[in-house]
Every structure is written in structure tokens, then in C-alpha cells.
Amino acid sequence: SNVMRMSVKHTLESAGFGVELAENGLEGLKSLKRMKENGGVPELIFVDINMPVMDGITFIKKVKQTSCKTIPVLVLTTESEEKKKNEGRQAGAAGWLVKPFDKDKLIKVVRKFVR
């Protein structure tokens, strides 16, 4: 949702991180391609499992098939059941956070992946 994207963006930018947003998985892949063409890629990607156009599991699988496959992908979602978490791990997710998120915990997790 737009509210969640803005909340995550505000939290991460206030901690000094740059943020690029996409509304769904397809837009995320387009954004990733555009960044790559412009000579840069993100150090970390957040994705939700429940997105329009392309769900998060499909998005992760597609990212892992590109030259950006080494970028860690963290899931930030309302989904908390083990079956979904296992699907995410099998797709290539590096971690799983359940919404609503704690701002300090989110920043701490990002700092583990971004130097």
C-alpha cells in the first residue's frame, strides 16, 4: 500500500538510507533494470508477498534469475505462517519481517545487510 511504502521510506531515509519505491513486483523489476542501466543497483530490496500485478514470491524468483541475484531481498509482509516463509526462503529471500514493523528493528536489520 502507498501508506506502507511511505512509512518504510520515511523510516529508512531518516536513518540516512536512499530509497527507491515501486508499486508492485513488475514495477520493481523495471526499476531494478533502469538502475542497472544507469550504473547502479540497490544494496537491499524489500518486497511484500501480497502485491498487485506480480506477487512477492514471483518477484524474488525473477530477481534471482537476473544479474542482480546477489542483492539480498527481505520480505516485509503481514504473512506469518511457516509455509509462506518457506516459500520465500526457497525463492531466495534473505529474511522475513512481519508488519506492522518496529522502526528501530527495521533499521537494525537493514544495517546488517547494508554497509
Side-chain angles (χ1 to χ4, degrees):
S1 75
N2 188 51
V3 171
M4 183 56 66
R5 285 191 307 274
M6 290 298 120
S7 179
V8 171
K9 180 178 181 172
H10 174 73
T11 299
L12 295 177
E13 286 182 341
S14 68
F17 298 105
V19 177
E20 176 88 19
L21 297 176
E23 290 185 30
N24 59 61
L26 184 58
E27 290 301 316
L29 290 175
K30 289 178 182 177
S31 179
L32 190 58
K33 182 180 179 187
R34 191 171 45 255
M35 284 188 269
K36 180 97 171 138
E37 290 170 352
N38 291 327
V41 293
E43 295 179 70
L44 178 66
I45 298 170
F46 274 102
V47 66
D48 195 346
I49 294 302
N50 303 306
M51 297 187 296
V53 184
M54 179 187 298
D55 67 274
I57 298 294
T58 302
F59 173 82
I60 296 167
K61 288 177 181 176
K62 291 198 177 280
V63 168
K64 296 305 177 181
Q65 294 170 354
T66 71
S67 61
C68 297
K69 63 185 171 195
T70 59
I71 299 171
V73 179
L74 295 177
V75 176
L76 180 60
T77 187
T78 57
E79 301 287 341
S80 61
E81 66 179 59
E82 278 306 310
K83 181 180 177 193
K84 281 289 182 191
K85 289 180 182 179
N86 285 334
E87 271 187 74
R89 278 192 282 277
Q90 289 173 352
W96 195 280
L97 298 167
V98 178
K99 296 185 231 176
F101 66 90
D102 174 270
K103 292 177 181 183
D104 293 330
K105 183 177 179 182
L106 182 72
I107 292 167
K108 185 176 179 181
V109 169
V110 170
R111 285 191 173 129
K112 285 184 178 181
F113 288 94
V114 177
R115 301 275 174 225

